Amino acid sequence: MADEIDGKKSAATPTTGGGAAGNGSGNGSGNGKNGKGRLNALLDDSKVVRDRAIDELKALKQPEKTEVWKSVLRVKHDETPRSRALGVLSNVFLHLHPAKINRDAVAYNYTWGMGGMTFYVYVTLVFTGTLLMFYYHPSKVVAFRDILYLEHDVPFGKLLRNMHRWGAHLMVIMVELHMFRVFLTGSYKAPRQFNWVVGVLLLVLTLLLSFTGYLLPDDQLGFWAVTVGTNMARATPLLGHDGPFGHQLGMTPFNDVRFGLLGGSIVDSNALLRAYIWHCVAIPILASTFMVVHFWRVRKDGGISGPGAVMLESEIKEPKKV
């Protein structure tokens, strides 16, 4: 009996050893498969990266095929029998208005008419500002005296100045409302993303126009507004001596953006002259140029962006009953 038990134990021993060996070989083969799987995954990822790099190199050789190029400039039409007609219909000078527009895109309850009204206010500001230049000298000695002369002695001078001043405030409000509407309706999305960038630049130029006009009357309000504003400018990243990375780039109070705006370290006659040039010459030219690009892009993108097509009640088909 004891011999039989010992025999069974001794017989069972090799079986256990064989099982351990089997587990070892199984784990080894499993690890080998996992290693091969990871290697294959890495090879697949490298192929994807390589294909993407090849595509990007091809795009660099043909930039007109990229999405950035298409968002900035309109591509030519394909050579088809209708290509000549499409070339005329899509040309701003040959065909001012889009051939087709969304019937809901021109509704005032959708667009608010802010784009057109902003341009109208801008034309009014250019006109009134040109008239104001006849009575103004950008000098610390006579600037405020010219404002008093304009308000009290020039016929309709006070009306002219108030039209220009309140029109400037109204333009800032209208530009912000216009961009608010564009954002709410998703009109900044493709293919209009480039025009959204142009609109942001126009917002910045509008704010700069309003800011530079503050100093021209040379009164206490303008003096302290420009003082506070330029003190904020010296904290501009990279460009201001108090801003992030300004010191590392060698910015000082005598070569940073604040010094460039004021033409010195204090608000004096140089600041008044520079504000006058920026307000009356440089920024209006830039703003007018970007407005032309903005209107051109609206036309090339198919007119004003509107909501999705609305079906009339007569056009709605009832589903068939099963």
Side-chain angles (χ1 to χ4, degrees), residues 42-308:
L42 290 175
L43 291 175
D44 293 338
D45 293 339
S46 64
K47 290 180 180 179
V48 172
V49 173
R50 183 190 63 184
D51 295 338
R52 187 178 301 174
I54 292 174
D55 294 338
E56 291 180 356
L57 289 175
K58 290 180 179 179
L60 292 176
K61 295 180 180 179
Q62 295 178 336
E64 65 276 3
K65 301 292 185 180
T66 60
E67 291 296 328
V68 176
W69 180 277
K70 292 179 181 180
S71 67
V72 176
L73 297 174
R74 276 297 172 236
V75 296
K76 294 182 179 180
H77 298 284
D78 297 330
E79 293 297 333
T80 62
R82 297 185 64 247
S83 61
R84 186 174 180 181
L86 291 174
V88 174
L89 295 176
S90 61
N91 191 283
V92 179
F93 302 101
L94 299 180
H95 203 276
L96 182 61
H97 299 287
K100 294 181 180 180
I101 61 172
N102 189 340
R103 62 187 173 192
D104 302 309
V106 294
Y108 277 101
N109 60 356
Y110 179 80
T111 64
W112 303 345
M114 285 298 158
M117 286 192 287
T118 301
F119 178 69
Y120 170 75
V121 173
Y122 177 74
V123 173
T124 304
L125 289 172
V126 171
F127 177 72
T128 55
T130 303
L131 295 179
L132 289 173
M133 291 173 68
F134 285 100
Y135 302 98
Y136 180 80
H137 299 81
S139 172
K140 292 290 290 185
V141 179
V142 295
F144 187 68
R145 189 185 306 170
D146 289 341
I147 298 298
L148 296 178
Y149 172 73
L150 182 69
E151 287 193 345
H152 299 289
D153 296 328
V154 176
F156 302 103
K158 191 170 186 177
L159 174 64
L160 185 65
R161 187 199 173 199
N162 286 335
M163 286 180 62
H164 191 78
R165 179 175 182 176
W166 291 107
H169 296 325
L170 186 62
M171 183 177 175
V172 173
I173 296 173
M174 284 185 170
V175 170
E176 292 176 349
L177 288 176
H178 176 58
M179 298 194 71
F180 182 64
R181 194 278 305 174
V182 170
F183 179 78
L184 286 182
T185 55
S187 302
Y188 59 91
K189 299 178 181 179
R192 304 172 187 271
Q193 60 268 44
F194 175 73
N195 213 17
W196 169 260
V197 176
V198 176
V200 173
L201 293 176
L202 285 173
L203 172 64
V204 174
L205 292 175
T206 301
L207 296 176
L208 288 176
L209 278 171
S210 180
F211 178 74
T212 53
Y214 251 108
L215 185 60
L216 298 186
D218 198 28
D219 54 2
Q220 287 293 313
L221 176 63
F223 174 83
W224 288 111
V226 173
T227 300
V228 174
T230 52
N231 284 338
M232 293 170 60
R234 71 184 183 185
T236 305
L238 305 177
L239 300 178
H241 69 276
D242 283 345
F245 305 107
H247 181 70
Q248 286 78 358
L249 294 177
M251 292 297 169
T252 67
F254 304 102
N255 64 0
D256 64 347
V257 63
R258 180 178 182 272
F259 186 86
L261 291 173
L262 297 179
S265 57
I266 60 174
V267 181
D268 60 354
S269 57
N270 286 337
L272 181 63
L273 181 60
R274 294 200 177 197
Y276 178 77
I277 295 174
W278 278 111
H279 186 78
C280 299
V281 181
I283 300 179
I285 292 176
L286 291 174
S288 300
T289 303
F290 279 110
M291 282 183 187
V292 171
V293 176
H294 193 65
F295 298 151
W296 170 71
R297 286 303 311 195
V298 170
R299 169 64 179 83
K300 298 300 286 185
D301 291 333
I304 302 173
S305 64

